[in-house]
Amino acid sequence: MKFSVLFTICSFFYVVGFGQTYYNVIDYGAKRDSSIVATEAIKNAIEKAFEAGGGTVYFPAGKYLTGPIHLKSNITLFIDAGAELYFSDNFDHYLPMVPSRWEGTMVTNFSPFIYAYEAENIAIIGRGTLNGNGKKWWAYSEVHVKNSPESRWQKEFHKHNKEVLHPDLPGWVERGFLRPPFIQPMYCKNVRIEGVTIKNSPFWTINPEFCDNVTVDGVTINNPPSPNTDGINPESCSNVHIANCHISVGDDCITIKSGKDRSGRKEARPAENYTITNCTMLAGHGGVVIGSEMSGDVKKITISNCVFDGTDRGIRIKTARGRGGVVEDIRVSNVVMRNIKEQAIVLDMQYAKTVKEPVSDRTPRFRNIHLSNITAQGKQAGYLNGLEEMPIEEISFNDLVMDTELGFDIKEAKNISFNNVLINAAKGSAIKAQQVKDLQVRGLRTSEVFTAPILTLDNVQNVFITNTFPMATGSIFLKLQGADTEAVMLRANNLAKVKVPVSMSNEVKENAVVND
């Protein structure tokens, strides 16, 4: 009897809390059997808590059918174990449209499923589930309506976005309409999302915009193969902490962005001071991705202690002419990648096909990016592709073990260094560089099987290769091409096992190589 009373008292304090007022949605008319749409009941509970200065809106075990939830300052949503918020797929429930951001462009759009605007001290916590019921939304991603009558949702969207459609959202105008993100706080401070499971998002899943001090901890995101269902996309935020998350989605797992083209440069708010750690990523186009919407800059980012298993790419930084903005001060360390379908590491400034143009605020920049203590297995070790007018610069790779079909392919870059790296490329060179200046390779090791030259350099200048120990018996160590190749120095390399230390094409000057 005493134990029963004690258990009851402990349970009471678990639900009610010490000094914390809880607002049970059941008391405001919600039904835990999803027999009614609980949007109004949840709204009333939030309003009551807000009027009291703040509190926790509590969802006990059960299934709740709801439309959009709009958070206010000092409100916590507590979705308890066994509780599921099942979001309606009736598009009308997400009207009226609200200020939003869609792939880096400021728009007025359907309400996000969970939305906050200029709020502070908000949270979504618990061991329950948020189910976006996204299948109907996904069908509208690829609907081509150019020769079809406009739906009332398109008409509503066009009415609110006359100034942004054609210049800022090319291609999307001809589709059904823009799906809303799942969770989108905008201009908020002190945001926490912890413990919950999120699935079947209609579009991007967790998408803070212009927020300060954001924490996403211990969250599980499961989206099936589906269009643009990224996992966590903090955009133009500061002081973001993502940890202990498990993500498997239809697009990129974690993506860092800061706005697109004209709209992004107009807002001019960077993504900065992010830490991403102790996360696992399974299905997804990329493990951790920066861009391509980076027009407001991306700065001071650390990514550590993560596992990518089965993503298309691992670390991917992408942009294109027209974006503008700079990506700089990026650190990646202690990452394991397995079953990578394309490249383990990508730095691509030609994500979209463009032609050379004068340097301006439309010109993007990648610089001061450093990756270390990475093991990877998959198709290609790395792909770096800069611009002729703005090369990628100040990139280092330290302590890598890459077991891939292809090695590194580098174009239009300068000040690139490899230090203590093992690159086993079954079908290509360990490092292939074209139009690269100031390349340093220290401590390169390889396996015994190499069909291509271990290093292939084409129109490169100021190259220093030292302390390498290739094991590929019978292969070419260094192949030089291009009339502009010069100042290539080799020092203290153990080339006893290779068949040909240096091979030069006819256009390479005789004095291009110094073997010290």
Side-chain angles (χ1 to χ4, degrees), residues 388-420:
E388 182 180 351
E389 68 271 23
M390 187 57 65
I392 296 169
E393 59 182 320
E394 299 175 31
I395 314 296
S396 71
F397 302 96
N398 301 283
D399 301 308
L400 308 185
V401 177
M402 315 298 276
D403 188 7
T404 53
E405 293 181 24
L406 302 171
F408 281 86
D409 190 356
I410 307 171
K411 302 174 184 177
E412 301 294 352
K414 63 181 181 179
N415 197 1
I416 311 296
S417 68
F418 290 85
N419 303 286
N420 189 30

Side-chain angles (χ1 to χ4, degrees), residues 124-130 183 192-199 205-206 215-222 231-232 241-249 253-254 277-281:
I124 304 166
I125 65 173
R127 302 303 300 171
T129 299
L130 304 173
I183 301 172
R192 173 172 288 271
I193 303 171
E194 182 177 351
V196 293
T197 294
I198 309 172
K199 60 184 182 181
T205 306
I206 298 176
T215 299
V216 183
D217 193 352
V219 170
T220 298
I221 301 175
N222 283 314
I232 304 172
H241 321 278
I242 301 171
N244 309 312
C245 293
H246 179 76
I247 305 170
S248 184
V249 292
C253 295
I254 296 176
T277 189
N278 299 346
C279 294
T280 57
M281 290 76 156

Side-chain angles (χ1 to χ4, degrees), residues 361-484:
D361 64 351
R362 290 170 42 87
T363 307
R365 292 167 172 80
F366 289 176
R367 63 193 182 204
N368 197 17
I369 300 169
H370 306 283
L371 303 97
S372 63
N373 297 306
I374 295 172
T375 63
Q377 175 272 323
K379 184 175 180 179
Q380 185 173 18
Y383 178 69
L384 282 67
N385 187 25
L387 301 175
E388 182 180 351
E389 68 271 23
M390 187 57 65
I392 296 169
E393 59 182 320
E394 299 175 31
I395 314 296
S396 71
F397 302 96
N398 301 283
D399 301 308
L400 308 185
V401 177
M402 315 298 276
D403 188 7
T404 53
E405 293 181 24
L406 302 171
F408 281 86
D409 190 356
I410 307 171
K411 302 174 184 177
E412 301 294 352
K414 63 181 181 179
N415 197 1
I416 311 296
S417 68
F418 290 85
N419 303 286
N420 189 30
V421 296
L422 172 62
I423 304 174
N424 295 327
K427 297 181 180 179
S429 296
I431 300 172
K432 182 179 179 181
Q434 182 178 0
Q435 303 293 349
V436 175
K437 295 180 180 179
D438 305 325
L439 171 65
Q440 299 181 26
V441 181
R442 294 186 176 92
L444 169 67
R445 294 168 290 127
T446 70
S447 67
E448 296 180 2
V449 179
F450 249 88
T451 58
I454 294 171
L455 299 174
T456 299
L457 309 182
D458 186 353
N459 287 315
V460 298
Q461 297 91 43
N462 302 325
V463 180
F464 184 53
I465 303 168
T466 185
N467 292 322
T468 62
F469 188 21
M471 301 296 292
T473 303
S475 65
I476 297 172
F477 173 64
L478 174 62
K479 182 178 181 180
L480 296 178
Q481 302 174 147
D484 292 331

Side-chain angles (χ1 to χ4, degrees), residues 201-226:
S201 177
F203 180 59
W204 292 357
T205 306
I206 298 176
N207 180 212
E209 297 279 359
F210 309 107
C211 294
D212 180 52
N213 192 19
V214 177
T215 299
V216 183
D217 193 352
V219 170
T220 298
I221 301 175
N222 283 314
N223 295 323
S226 47

